[in-house]
Amino acid sequence: MKKFFISILAILLIVGGVFFFLNSRGSSDSSNKYNQFSFICEGDDIDKKDFDRIDGQFYLSLDFIKEKIDENVNYDKNENVVIFANEKGTKRYTLNEKEGLFNSKKIELRDPVIEKDGKIMVPIEGFIYDYSVDFRFIKDKKLLLMDYKNIDYSIGTPSGNGVNIREKDSKSSPIVKTINKEDKVYVYGEIGDFYKVREIDGYAGYIKKNLLNVEFPKDKFKIEKEESKKEAEKPLNLTWDYTYGPHKQESINLITGIKGLDVIVPTWFSVSNKSGDIIDRGNKEYVSKYNNLGIDVWGYLDNSFNPDITHEVLLSSSKREKVISKTMELLNNYNLKGINIDFEHTKIEDRDLITQFVRELSAQAKANGKVTSVDVTPQITNNVEKEPYNRKELAEVCDYVIVMAYDQHWASSEKAGSVAEYKWVESNINMLFKSIPKEKLILGVPFYSRIWTEENGKVKSSTISMDQSNKLLNEKDLIPKWDDVSKQDYVEYTEGNKTYKIWLEDSQSIKWKVSLVNKYNLAGVGSWRKGFETQDVWETIYRIINTK
């Protein structure tokens, strides 16, 4: 009996030893994972529905493009148009058509955008070279690969010959490829005792950590390559020139230099109807005169402050293209250095359409060497879904975002108050630093005040310029008092049953607001509007933004 138990124990030890040996050695089965045409992005296998090769043309799905290349690629389902807007410009491709638009000019495609198995598939020739990706086909392996040019990846080398890349992070998983010590792999991450890897020009899988020597860039698996930073520039001094009709020759003749002014923005262009037609009030001599004075002129495009026009035009990709094409034509025709987009009184539901429009226009403007800026109001809530603008995304696609930090108390306010008291302005721009980089934020300041009339519990107001305020003070022999909260002079007087109140905008109040440009290293100051100011204001702005 004793010999029987010894025999059983010996058998168990032998079986266990064999199992341990086989288990420690791992599976020797070969993987058939990459026997067919495959696509690997970094170390990830891409679903076969998201790529294809048809008659030699490689296609990627719109879903993949949005996830891995450009989250802002837009598809107009109503008009079946795919829209790319990036630093190269704006491209538009209509489903099943071999002709597209690149910055409003026609281009030919060898193969069109198609729909396959419920997915929009885009030929790579139409977009891939506009992005910082390394996309290549390894013919002998029937393998598409994609990496990012702006990424430094960890590099791994086998500790010896015969190192196995396995399908999964397990020794029992089939072998994808066996590599030797002279081979190299990208290392994308780690799972337990395994590294997630891919041959530089080959297959992906997992390698045991103790079999791979890894060179980490700054102790990470991958790190974005540092881009050269642009040196800080002097803050811009910009003003709007309100234009309600064609310039008369008399006004052109009166153009003179303005101390310290860098940019003037005449309000020339408006989207006038639901068809996307544009009103043009431009004048070439106006541009020439200011340019000769060393002042750049930017174009200006508004939405006629009409929510219905805005909605109808922005909802259609073809109408957006019409507006953008005409705008670019006008910018070039008048030799304007940039464009300022001012869409106000819009519907909350059109917030993302505004972003898409600005993205498309900005991409085309940049491709033509034009500066792009967009005007936004101060933020009311932290929930972007309740705001008219997605300021963060607008800041990503524009050179500048101009915050209209005025109308704290607007024309129809039920309570009299300042147009823009100092603390209110500072508080609002601080809230916006979360979404707008300081180096892109231009602070909008008012050159006007409101005279408030209170009578029988009712309040109404009217806009007055700085000259009009001074004239009123002299006529009424009024002495204003400094209000340290608003950083403004305040005056109040009574006539009959009416009480009048004015929080004055003048060189002193402007000095305080413009000082915020230096305090927070903002991109500049924009003033609404030329003609409302007294001449000493320009000296004040010049002195403040040129003093650090």
Side-chain angles (χ1 to χ4, degrees):
M1 180 64 95
K2 185 176 180 181
K3 289 183 178 180
F4 173 77
F5 281 114
I6 291 173
S7 298
I8 293 297
L9 180 61
I11 291 170
L12 288 173
L13 287 171
I14 292 169
V15 171
V18 171
F19 178 79
F20 177 78
F21 173 75
L22 292 175
N23 187 57
S24 62
R25 183 181 177 188
S27 171
S28 60
D29 293 342
S30 295
S31 170
N32 59 6
K33 182 178 182 179
Y34 294 115
N35 286 358
Q36 296 180 339
F37 176 47
S38 302
F39 179 26
I40 306 173
C41 176
E42 296 190 307
D44 298 324
D45 296 303
I46 304 305
D47 191 295
K48 294 190 182 300
K49 291 183 179 180
D50 287 316
F51 66 97
D52 206 348
R53 189 185 188 191
I54 303 173
D55 296 329
Q57 176 71 260
F58 295 113
Y59 284 83
L60 297 180
S61 75
L62 190 64
D63 293 335
F64 173 83
I65 296 168
K66 288 177 74 70
E67 181 182 355
K68 297 291 188 179
I69 299 177
D70 185 349
E71 65 180 358
N72 296 314
V73 174
N74 183 262
Y75 182 61
D76 185 333
K77 293 181 179 179
N78 295 322
E79 299 182 0
N80 294 321
V81 177
V82 177
I83 304 160
F84 293 88
N86 51 54
E87 62 182 12
K88 305 293 183 182
T90 303
K91 291 182 176 178
R92 300 171 188 272
Y93 301 120
T94 302
L95 196 67
N96 300 320
E97 291 187 8
K98 289 188 176 182
E99 193 176 77
L101 291 176
F102 179 28
N103 293 340
S104 301
K105 296 178 181 178
K106 290 183 180 180
I107 56 173
E108 298 291 331
L109 288 173
R110 288 181 297 166
D111 300 284
V113 174
I114 61 173
E115 184 172 359
K116 183 181 178 185
D117 298 328
K119 286 183 175 279
I120 302 299
M121 306 294 289
V122 186
I124 65 165
E125 66 166 323
F127 70 95
I128 201 72
Y129 304 111
D130 296 336
Y131 295 93
S132 185
V133 296
D134 183 8
F135 187 89
R136 56 200 188 277
F137 179 56
I138 311 302
K139 188 175 182 180
D140 62 327
K141 297 179 180 178
K142 296 180 291 185
L143 188 63
L144 276 178
L145 297 175
M146 193 180 92
D147 295 298
Y148 299 94
K149 294 179 180 178
N150 62 336
I151 297 290
D152 277 330
Y153 297 100
S154 296
I155 301 292
T157 54
S159 57
N161 293 327
V163 172
N164 295 322
I165 301 177
R166 297 186 178 276
E167 276 191 20
K168 298 180 180 178
D169 56 319
S170 169
K171 289 186 295 183
S172 62
S173 180
I175 298 170
V176 172
K177 181 76 178 290
T178 300
I179 59 176
N180 297 316
K181 60 182 180 181
E182 67 270 14
D183 297 320
K184 292 184 178 182
V185 295
Y186 284 139
V187 183
Y188 296 103
E190 57 186 342
I191 300 178
D193 295 331
F194 285 81
Y195 284 126
K196 183 178 182 180
V197 304
R198 196 200 75 215
E199 295 178 280
I200 304 297
D201 287 315
Y203 305 127
Y206 296 85
I207 293 178
K208 282 278 288 181
K209 285 182 177 179
N210 62 346
L211 300 177
L212 200 64
N213 300 314
V214 183
E215 298 175 15
F216 293 101
K218 297 185 180 179
D219 298 323
K220 295 182 180 179
F221 287 106
K222 60 182 181 180
I223 188 167
E224 288 194 27
K225 296 176 181 177
E226 293 185 3
E227 297 181 3
S228 57
K229 293 185 177 181
K230 191 171 71 172
E231 291 186 13
E233 299 177 353
K234 181 185 79 69
L236 277 179
N237 183 359
L238 172 151
T239 195
W240 286 277
D241 186 4
Y242 178 63
T243 307
Y244 50 86
H247 288 278
K248 296 181 179 179
Q249 190 59 46
E250 306 92 90
S251 65
I252 300 291
N253 294 338
L254 291 174
I255 290 175
T256 57
I258 299 174
K259 185 171 184 177
L261 188 67
D262 300 301
V263 177
I264 192 163
V265 186
T267 58
W268 280 350
F269 314 133
S270 301
V271 181
S272 62
N273 55 41
K274 294 179 181 180
S275 297
D277 295 317
I278 292 181
I279 296 173
D280 171 16
R281 310 178 187 91
N283 184 291
K284 290 183 178 179
E285 189 178 354
Y286 177 101
V287 176
S288 179
K289 279 227 171 188
Y290 274 111
N291 285 169
N292 290 336
L293 293 167
I295 299 170
D296 287 342
V297 184
W298 289 359
Y300 168 95
L301 178 69
D302 68 36
N303 59 333
S304 293
F305 303 149
N306 185 307
D308 295 325
I309 288 176
T310 308
H311 179 75
E312 289 298 320
V313 171
L314 298 190
L315 190 61
S316 164
S317 60
S318 59
K319 289 179 182 178
R320 294 199 304 267
E321 160 60 20
K322 178 180 178 179
V323 172
I324 291 169
S325 178
K326 182 61 178 179
T327 300
M328 292 308 303
E329 178 187 318
L330 292 169
L331 294 183
N332 291 323
N333 180 49
Y334 290 111
N335 192 30
L336 302 170
K337 298 295 177 64
I339 180 67
N340 175 237
I341 304 160
D342 185 19
F343 280 21
E344 300 182 45
H345 304 300
T346 57
K347 300 176 181 179
I348 297 295
E349 66 192 79
D350 290 333
R351 175 191 58 256
D352 294 338
L353 288 174
I354 291 173
T355 301
Q356 182 60 28
F357 171 77
V358 174
R359 179 180 291 113
E360 293 170 14
L361 175 52
S362 179
Q364 197 158 327
K366 288 179 182 179
N368 282 269
K370 309 292 185 184
V371 176
T372 310
S373 64
V374 62
D375 304 335
V376 300
T377 55
Q379 190 170 317
I380 304 300
T381 170
N382 287 324
N383 185 355
V384 70
E385 299 294 328
K386 296 180 180 180
E387 288 286 316
Y389 308 104
N390 188 326
R391 297 167 182 83
K392 183 177 186 297
E393 291 193 6
L394 289 172
E396 289 173 357
V397 299
C398 286
D399 296 295
Y400 300 107
V401 178
I402 305 179
V403 179
M404 298 178 286
Y406 37 83
D407 281 346
Q408 175 186 0
H409 296 86
W410 59 97
S412 57
S413 290
E414 296 179 357
K415 180 182 178 182
S418 169
V419 170
E421 67 179 39
Y422 176 79
K423 286 187 177 180
W424 179 84
V425 172
E426 184 170 27
S427 174
N428 274 285
I429 62 172
N430 269 276
M431 181 180 289
L432 289 172
F433 290 155
K434 298 175 183 177
S435 52
I436 305 173
K438 295 176 184 178
E439 64 271 17
K440 286 192 172 188
L441 193 155
I442 292 178
L443 175 63
V445 299
F447 279 172
Y448 63 93
S449 306
R450 293 194 188 282
I451 178 168
W452 297 90
T453 305
E454 297 178 348
E455 183 181 15
N456 298 325
K458 294 182 179 181
V459 179
K460 63 180 181 179
S461 73
S462 58
T463 300
I464 55 174
S465 69
M466 293 182 185
D467 273 331
Q468 289 172 323
S469 296
N470 289 338
K471 184 178 179 182
L472 180 66
L473 295 179
N474 291 329
E475 288 178 350
K476 304 291 184 182
D477 198 22
L478 301 171
I479 301 175
K481 294 181 179 180
W482 181 253
D483 176 9
D484 203 46
V485 174
S486 65
K487 302 297 184 188
Q488 292 174 275
D489 274 327
Y490 171 76
V491 66
E492 178 179 326
Y493 65 98
T494 301
E495 290 182 348
N497 295 326
K498 297 179 181 179
T499 299
Y500 298 90
K501 299 178 179 180
I502 311 173
W503 284 261
L504 294 162
E505 293 292 350
D506 54 22
S507 62
Q508 280 297 103
S509 67
I510 294 299
K511 179 187 77 172
W512 277 97
K513 283 187 265 283
V514 174
S515 70
L516 295 171
V517 173
N518 290 347
K519 181 176 180 178
Y520 293 106
N521 289 315
L522 305 184
V525 60
S527 50
W528 181 265
R529 62 176 173 90
K530 180 180 176 293
F532 278 170
E533 80 284 6
T534 49
Q535 286 306 304
D536 59 330
V537 168
W538 296 117
E539 177 64 38
T540 297
I541 295 175
Y542 175 80
R543 187 176 67 254
I544 296 296
I545 66 175
N546 284 279
T547 302
K548 286 288 186 178

